[in-house]
Amino acid sequence: MSMNGQAKPIAVDLGGAVFGDGAGSFDVLATLPLAEGYATSFRNLDLQKQKLELKNLKVVGVRV
């Protein structure tokens, strides 16, 4: 990884598939079956902290 002109190697055990956070991430999440009560979790990598984060998503209501 290169940030602010400094190169820093990345060495993190991901423990499985990782969801890529970025410009199209909300488009990808919108393709999930977002019915009320739907829940899922996914891994995300925080590059600055070089730590794996577990994100939880739960649909608590639906607008009609």
Side-chain angles (χ1 to χ4, degrees):
M1 170 176 73
S2 179
M3 195 182 299
N4 296 326
Q6 295 179 326
K8 187 174 184 181
I10 298 173
V12 178
D13 179 17
L14 301 176
V18 175
F19 178 74
D21 192 10
S25 61
F26 291 119
D27 294 332
V28 174
L29 292 174
T31 66
L32 295 172
L34 300 175
E36 192 166 348
Y38 176 78
T40 190
S41 60
F42 52 92
R43 292 177 181 86
N44 202 340
L45 179 62
D46 184 325
L47 288 174
Q48 289 184 333
K49 295 178 184 175
Q50 291 199 20
K51 289 189 175 185
L52 190 67
E53 297 177 337
L54 185 61
K55 304 281 186 168
N56 296 304
L57 177 136
K58 182 175 181 182
V59 179
V60 295
V62 179
R63 255 190 223 185
V64 284

